[in-house]
Amino acid sequence: EQEPIHQALQAGSLTSRMGQALEIAVFKALKTQSSLKFFGRCRDLDAHDDSQLYSKEEPPNYIGIRETPTDQRLDFLVRHPEAGWAGIEVKNIREWLYPNRVEIIDFLYKCTVLDAVPVLIARRFPWVTFHVLGICGVVVHQNYNQLLPVADSPLAEQAKHKRLLGYHDIRLGNEPDARLIHFIHDNLPEVLPSALEKFDEYKDLLAAFSAREMDYDEFAGRVRRRNQGLPEDADYNIGEYDY
């Protein structure tokens, strides 16, 4: 009973529309605030329902002379009047995003290349992601819900059923909830200046880690030791462990 529901949730066309549902919610929240200028938009939201993909205008893959490959664009670029540029990435997936996940590594690469403060929005993060990446100036926001298109409401009801998959946190549609609006309108503009200071301090480690020049264990260890004012190359006290 569970397997066909799970397989349907992994179907290519649905996963694309699911990913876009949260992107659209973020776009709608960005549209209704005035603190941040932004790039990235959906233009045909009134043209059809969410049974098919909407057209998305991606932000540019460059800021001045800094440039990512054309197929590696952030979901949104925003500009804060004091903190400058920030890059927003949106992940509407069920998996908890640990700091060594490829999605996070690729996201950090784009932000370090563009010199934009990283902002990550996803359903759930473990404590270690908040801790390690937060030290480095990465802003993370837990959405707590996974958004599914309204057109797939029968499948959503099956997935939510407690005797089937039990995905109780599924929510239909692409409207931002009050929590996401509060984050985009209030929290994000407030925290970006302090996030920039941390990002500048740890940018070299983020860049090496996201370019695959440093593995996660070394990255996390160096972050911890730098944060604690210890020599970065190694632990000298027995009993000290990396994150």
Side-chain angles (χ1 to χ4, degrees), residues 2 5 19 25 29 32 38 59 64 66-67 76 80 95 104 114 135 145 154 172 179 183 204 208 211 215 223:
Q2 295 174 330
I5 300 169
T32 54
F38 69 95
R66 296 178 172 271
E67 182 179 0
F76 300 95
H80 186 277
E95 295 87 350
I104 286 187
L114 295 176
I135 289 173
N145 297 111
L172 292 174
R179 193 167 180 277
F183 172 71
D204 59 326
D215 65 21
V223 168

Side-chain angles (χ1 to χ4, degrees), residues 108-109 112-113 199 202-214 219:
L108 293 175
Y109 174 77
T112 53
V113 168
F199 179 59
Y202 291 87
K203 192 188 310 174
D204 59 326
L205 299 182
L206 290 169
F209 172 53
S210 63
R212 273 78 170 180
E213 297 168 358
M214 182 185 295
F219 165 71

Side-chain angles (χ1 to χ4, degrees), residues 133-182:
L133 297 187
I135 289 173
C136 301
V138 180
V139 181
V140 295
H141 173 75
Q142 290 192 112
N143 197 47
Y144 287 129
N145 297 111
Q146 184 178 31
L147 304 188
L148 260 67
V150 174
D152 298 276
S153 56
L155 176 61
E157 288 305 314
Q158 287 181 304
K160 289 169 64 175
H161 197 288
K162 64 182 180 181
R163 294 185 59 191
L164 295 172
L165 297 183
Y167 293 170
H168 61 87
D169 57 0
I170 285 177
R171 188 164 60 83
L172 292 174
N174 54 37
E175 294 296 326
D177 62 9
R179 193 167 180 277
L180 180 59
I181 290 173
H182 180 56

Side-chain angles (χ1 to χ4, degrees), residues 105-125:
I105 295 172
D106 290 344
F107 159 62
L108 293 175
Y109 174 77
K110 290 180 275 191
C111 288
T112 53
V113 168
L114 295 176
D115 197 17
V117 177
V119 180
L120 185 59
I121 300 173
R123 188 184 73 91
R124 293 301 299 268
F125 300 97

Side-chain angles (χ1 to χ4, degrees), residues 52-127:
Q52 55 184 306
L53 282 172
Y54 297 99
S55 62
K56 170 82 185 299
E57 183 178 314
E58 304 292 348
N61 66 312
Y62 62 89
I63 299 176
I65 61 173
R66 296 178 172 271
E67 182 179 0
T68 64
T70 55
D71 62 342
Q72 296 184 32
R73 298 174 188 253
L74 293 156
D75 291 325
F76 300 95
L77 273 172
V78 302
R79 184 165 179 82
H80 186 277
E82 299 173 23
W85 292 102
I88 299 180
E89 192 94 340
V90 178
K91 297 295 181 186
N92 189 31
I93 60 177
R94 290 216 66 79
E95 295 87 350
W96 290 45
L97 285 175
Y98 284 80
N100 60 347
R101 289 271 303 225
V102 65
E103 295 94 338
I104 286 187
I105 295 172
D106 290 344
F107 159 62
L108 293 175
Y109 174 77
K110 290 180 275 191
C111 288
T112 53
V113 168
L114 295 176
D115 197 17
V117 177
V119 180
L120 185 59
I121 300 173
R123 188 184 73 91
R124 293 301 299 268
F125 300 97
W127 174 85

